Amino acid sequence: MRLKLLGALLLASVFIVLVATQLLGRPATVNVTVQGGRAAVGQVAPDFTTQTLDGNRVRLSQFRGKPVLLNFWATWCGPCQDEMPLIQRASDTYKAQGLVGLAVNYQQTSTSSMKAFLRKVNAQFPAVFDPAGKIAAAYGVNVGLPVSVFIDRSGTVSFIQVGQMSDALLQQHLHAIL
């Protein structure tokens, strides 16, 4: 009897630890808003508000006047892992010209796994939450990741790249918005 009780307590403890680990790795409720319809080349980019993995609020329109590269990604995406270092190098290279990179995470909520992925690929530009895929929907993103959206200084979508980019393609479209 005593052995069964200890076994049940051990099992309950393991369950509680697993649940707590999952909850601690998630942010408090992330309020995401999107305005402006669907993204299209030549049109003003849909504005959105969300938060960074560090908990800071961010709004796309706060970057008006600067070139912006939105990169939609997920921790399970192999091509995203290959592409992120290119985006980080570009972010470093063109920072003085005002380039803003935002890594928009596709429907994930585990802060710890997202941060681990970003450390692994040495991505230091801001990453933001999109847990319900509202931002992704406005930009026509579904499961085909990565997707990169190039937005010029006036807030107009210049180009949308579906799939992994080569460095040459990245440079070509960055030069168009710088």
Side-chain angles (χ1 to χ4, degrees), residues 19 21 30 37 39 49 57 61 75 78 85 95 97 102 104 110-111 117-118 124-125 132 134 145 166 168 170 173 176:
V19 169
T21 301
V30 177
T49 304
R57 298 293 299 159
S61 59
T75 59
K95 187 176 189 172
Q97 290 172 270
L102 284 178
V104 182
S110 172
T111 304
F117 176 93
L118 295 168
Q124 299 162 4
F125 53 97
K134 290 180 184 179
L145 296 175
S166 66
L170 174 62
H173 292 291

Side-chain angles (χ1 to χ4, degrees), residues 90-139:
S91 180
D92 293 342
T93 301
Y94 301 113
K95 187 176 189 172
Q97 290 172 270
L99 179 64
V100 174
L102 284 178
V104 182
N105 184 268
Y106 183 72
Q107 296 187 342
Q108 294 180 290
T109 57
S110 172
T111 304
S112 57
S113 63
M114 286 185 265
K115 285 183 176 182
F117 176 93
L118 295 168
R119 269 191 311 275
K120 180 178 179 181
V121 298
N122 196 31
Q124 299 162 4
F125 53 97
V128 299
F129 287 101
D130 187 19
K134 290 180 184 179
I135 302 168
Y139 283 85

Side-chain angles (χ1 to χ4, degrees), residues 71-85:
N71 180 254
F72 290 88
W73 65 287
T75 59
W76 48 260
C77 171
C80 299
Q81 182 174 325
D82 295 338
E83 184 180 73
M84 282 274 189

Side-chain angles (χ1 to χ4, degrees), residues 12-101:
S13 298
V14 168
F15 178 75
I16 290 170
V17 168
L18 287 174
V19 169
T21 301
Q22 286 298 312
L23 292 176
L24 290 175
R26 296 172 189 244
T29 303
V30 177
N31 186 25
V32 175
T33 61
V34 181
Q35 300 169 339
R38 293 216 14 136
V41 173
Q43 301 296 314
V44 174
D47 196 15
F48 60 83
T49 304
T50 185
Q51 75 182 46
T52 66
L53 299 188
D54 296 327
N56 298 316
R57 298 293 299 159
V58 66
R59 184 177 187 116
L60 179 63
S61 59
Q62 80 187 56
F63 303 114
R64 192 68 48 93
K66 296 181 178 189
V68 176
L69 174 58
L70 298 181
N71 180 254
F72 290 88
W73 65 287
T75 59
W76 48 260
C77 171
C80 299
Q81 182 174 325
D82 295 338
E83 184 180 73
M84 282 274 189
L86 295 176
I87 296 171
Q88 182 59 54
R89 277 195 302 276
S91 180
D92 293 342
T93 301
Y94 301 113
K95 187 176 189 172
Q97 290 172 270
L99 179 64
V100 174

